[in-house]
Amino acid sequence: MNNATVLVIDDSATIRKLVDSHLSQEGYRVVLAPNAEIGLQLVREVVPDLILLDHQLPGTTGLEVCKQIIQFPECAHIPFVVSSSLRKQAYMEYMEIPNVVDSLHKPFQPELLKMMVANALEVGAMIVTAQAGNTAVPEVLGDTGKPALQGEFQFLGLRELIDFLNNGAKSGLLEVETEHDRFGCFLDQGQIQAITSASVSQELVADRLPEALRDLAPLLRFTMNSGFSTHVDGLVELMDKKVLDPRLLRALLRHQSAVLTQSCFRGGLRSFSFYAERPVPALFRKTPLLTSLSALLVDGMLACPADELPVRDTRLGWAKQNVRGQNLDRTGLSPRALQILSAIEQTPASAQQIASGINCDVDETLRTLCGFLMADWIRTQEIVQKRQAIVIEPDVKGALIFRQLLADDASPWTGKVVRDPFGLKLVLKRMQPDVIMLPGELLADLDQTTLPAPVCVIASPDEVIPQAANVTILRRPYAQHDVLSALDKAAAQPRPSSRPAITTTPQSPPASNPARSLADVR
């Protein structure tokens, strides 16, 4: 209630000035009375939301003034905070007055004053009503009630939980507890509206703010909490009056949510509770994130310090991961992040390889990959240094053996199976093979010096292949272990640049007459 009215009845000009200065900064309307007489007059005119009453007043006491004020019908509900240097002695006199909800001991710090006034405004009316009716005061205010869904993170991941709520278009508050912190995730129809945490240090979020948002860092003390406070209501009013740019505030809240989301995922998850239909605070309704979990995780990694990133290791590969039931909501991802995502394949590649393939900065690529990894969109795997082969095999069964071998992650070989010499020419523009495997009938038109790798000939059982220049031969029919042996043997041969050219003539007629020869491959 940032526009609440507070009546201050105190004969000390210093106290009145201090209270007026600090409470006005908080958005309260402050009305000042230097004595009891003026206070009794003003209270009926303004009917304040709270009265800050001095115990020792000229010619009377705060107790007498309080008794008179609550006799006015329009003032019977007003809560009081009594201030005195006598501490508990003065407060004891007010025990039978139901409207006195707290005491402020002089001298006091401004922060204590603001905290006590905010608390009295929030719970004062409830306490007055309870004490006047001789009923119990609730031990806990804002009780969360029974959660619709709760559990521990033993067999369920946070990404899976949020995917479930997103796919079901659920609305409410998801509270997550980690080893040291507590986080709140407000959802509306399954979409994340805001991430909050009162336990995470504001400095963690403020230190990672981009330069354009640094001036808004003081607002984090209000926005990182639950979103329900008089200060947050004040921000909503400033936006409504066009005093505060909603675009900047939305950017601040997205940054806050991104850093908190990353911190939550890394914090040692313990338990969760989901409270259905819990309303989203007004501030977050006016500045919805319009983004997805994956985008928040990527943003969080882009903002994190360099020492939180994994070491650039060319042996660490990143590859796509297909998980059943996974939500692939890409809302809020930047064009660059989408480009990086599209460059990730089933075969693991290093961050450097992915970055160079799309002409992107390696650091940005690595950070984005880490975000996708936290969202379970990709996986990491040690890259095995594989040798590459290009194969022309017209036999259907043989081609299948090659394809299975070259696609197997455990295989020491990778590569492509093409249909004809023209396909070989196209593939050679993109890769540098260690071995080229060809059917024997193609050797008649082949000048081996034009090829960039040793040749392995795939021959029929009765086909005669000259042994010049140590050409490796793979006989049909063959199994996968025969292929591996032939590839390894061929790879051990000298590269074409150091070998003499040979001309061979098959002893049996060719099975086919390819439209293109290999002479013009390079």
Side-chain angles (χ1 to χ4, degrees):
M1 191 160 40
N2 65 301
N3 57 347
T5 299
V6 180
L7 173 62
V8 182
I9 305 177
D10 199 303
D11 64 318
S12 169
T14 301
I15 293 295
R16 294 197 304 273
K17 181 179 179 180
L18 182 147
V19 174
D20 184 24
S21 174
H22 289 282
L23 293 189
S24 296
Q25 291 178 7
E26 296 297 303
Y28 300 114
R29 177 194 177 197
V30 182
V31 179
L32 304 174
N35 54 52
E37 182 179 2
I38 296 177
L40 288 169
Q41 176 184 343
L42 289 175
V43 71
R44 306 191 72 175
E45 294 179 4
V46 301
V47 189
D49 300 287
L50 177 69
I51 297 175
L52 184 60
L53 178 64
D54 184 17
H55 173 63
Q56 295 171 302
L57 291 168
T60 186
T61 65
L63 179 61
E64 294 300 322
V65 174
C66 183
K67 289 180 178 180
Q68 294 182 58
I69 290 177
I70 62 176
Q71 296 303 313
F72 304 139
E74 67 271 31
C75 302
H77 66 285
I78 300 175
F80 287 73
V81 173
V82 177
S83 63
S84 174
S85 59
L86 298 179
R87 298 184 179 273
K88 294 184 179 180
Q89 291 177 289
Y91 187 62
M92 291 296 293
E93 299 182 27
Y94 297 83
M95 293 298 292
E96 296 183 0
I97 308 297
N99 295 58
V100 178
V101 299
D102 212 339
S103 63
L104 182 63
H105 307 307
K106 297 178 181 179
F108 54 80
Q109 293 290 335
E111 291 301 320
L112 177 61
L113 166 71
K114 290 184 284 188
M115 180 185 69
M116 189 164 290
V117 166
N119 184 67
L121 286 167
E122 184 174 355
V123 303
M126 182 183 299
I127 295 176
V128 170
T129 301
Q131 294 186 153
N134 197 27
T135 58
V137 178
E139 293 182 354
V140 179
L141 298 179
D143 188 9
T144 57
K146 185 178 179 180
L149 184 68
Q150 65 182 141
E152 297 181 352
F153 291 106
Q154 293 180 339
F155 307 104
L156 180 70
L158 179 54
R159 191 272 304 165
E160 296 172 280
L161 176 60
I162 293 179
D163 278 359
F164 170 76
L165 297 173
N166 184 289
N167 291 329
K170 305 301 181 183
S171 297
L173 172 63
L174 174 64
E175 290 187 345
V176 177
E177 289 192 15
T178 65
E179 292 182 357
H180 304 291
D181 296 301
R182 188 183 185 92
F183 299 85
C185 175
F186 288 97
L187 298 167
D188 183 32
Q189 296 296 306
Q191 295 296 318
I192 298 175
Q193 300 297 298
I195 308 292
T196 63
S197 176
S199 60
V200 174
S201 169
Q202 296 168 19
E203 285 71 22
L204 174 69
V205 180
D207 291 345
R208 303 182 183 195
L209 278 170
E211 191 64 35
L213 299 176
R214 288 291 171 88
D215 292 342
L216 298 182
L219 298 182
L220 292 171
R221 59 183 295 208
F222 310 128
T223 61
M224 282 183 59
N225 211 318
S226 66
F228 295 103
S229 72
T230 57
H231 306 92
V232 172
D233 291 341
L235 294 178
V236 175
E237 285 193 7
L238 290 176
M239 284 195 298
D240 290 340
K241 296 177 180 178
K242 302 188 184 305
V243 176
L244 181 63
D245 189 343
R247 293 171 299 180
L248 287 177
L249 186 56
R250 183 178 287 109
L252 175 72
L253 294 177
R254 172 159 178 162
H255 172 83
Q256 168 187 305
S257 296
V259 175
L260 292 180
T261 300
Q262 182 210 35
S263 179
C264 181
F265 268 70
R266 289 182 163 184
L269 297 170
R270 286 190 172 180
S271 61
F272 65 88
S273 299
F274 177 68
Y275 300 92
E277 303 304 327
R278 182 67 59 83
V280 179
L283 175 64
F284 304 141
R285 289 200 307 270
K286 286 183 173 290
T287 55
L289 293 180
L290 302 176
T291 192
S292 60
L293 175 64
S294 57
L296 289 177
L297 289 171
V298 169
D299 284 358
M301 290 306 305
L302 290 173
C304 77
D307 58 9
E308 294 186 15
L309 295 173
V311 177
R312 295 183 186 177
D313 188 351
T314 56
R315 296 171 298 177
L316 180 63
W318 308 79
K320 285 184 178 179
Q321 174 163 274
N322 296 322
V323 180
R324 175 177 291 184
Q326 186 175 16
N327 187 339
L328 296 179
D329 185 359
R330 303 181 182 186
T331 306
L333 287 175
S334 68
R336 177 62 81 181
L338 290 172
Q339 185 182 19
I340 293 173
L341 181 63
S342 65
I344 304 171
E345 299 181 351
Q346 297 291 344
T347 302
S350 68
Q352 290 89 331
Q353 290 173 325
I354 295 173
S356 61
I358 57 176
N359 194 27
C360 181
D361 177 72
V362 178
D363 181 76
E364 181 181 358
T365 300
L366 183 59
R367 290 172 180 271
T368 303
L369 291 172
C370 288
F372 289 144
L373 181 66
M374 295 176 75
D376 288 339
W377 282 18
I378 62 176
R379 58 185 171 85
T380 57
Q381 177 181 324
E382 183 178 359
I383 297 177
V384 178
Q385 297 299 326
K386 296 187 176 186
R387 289 179 289 187
Q388 294 185 321
I390 303 177
V391 182
I392 299 179
E393 171 57 290
D395 181 73
V396 176
K397 292 183 178 179
L400 179 60
I401 292 176
F402 276 106
R403 287 193 176 92
Q404 291 175 339
L405 174 66
L406 299 178
D408 187 354
D409 289 340
S411 170
W413 285 87
T414 185
K416 297 287 185 180
V417 178
V418 296
R419 302 179 65 177
D420 52 36
F422 181 69
L424 173 62
K425 181 178 180 181
L426 294 178
V427 174
L428 283 176
K429 292 181 178 180
R430 302 195 305 269
M431 60 182 286
Q432 181 75 26
D434 295 283
V435 171
I436 297 175
M437 303 195 78
L438 307 167
E441 56 266 22
L442 291 181
L443 288 176
D445 301 322
L446 174 64
D447 179 359
Q448 292 184 61
T449 60
T450 64
L451 297 176
V455 173
C456 177
V457 175
I458 305 172
S460 301
D462 57 349
E463 189 174 356
V464 178
I465 304 294
Q467 297 299 310
N470 296 320
V471 173
T472 304
I473 301 175
L474 174 65
R475 295 285 181 180
R476 297 189 180 96
Y478 51 79
Q480 197 172 96
H481 66 274
D482 299 316
V483 174
L484 283 172
S485 178
L487 285 169
D488 291 341
K489 184 177 179 181
Q493 301 301 321
R495 304 295 290 184
S497 58
S498 60
R499 298 184 313 185
I502 64 171
T503 302
T504 65
T505 302
Q507 299 301 310
S508 58
S512 62
N513 184 20
R516 296 174 181 266
S517 70
L518 293 175
D520 60 345
V521 164
R522 297 200 68 185

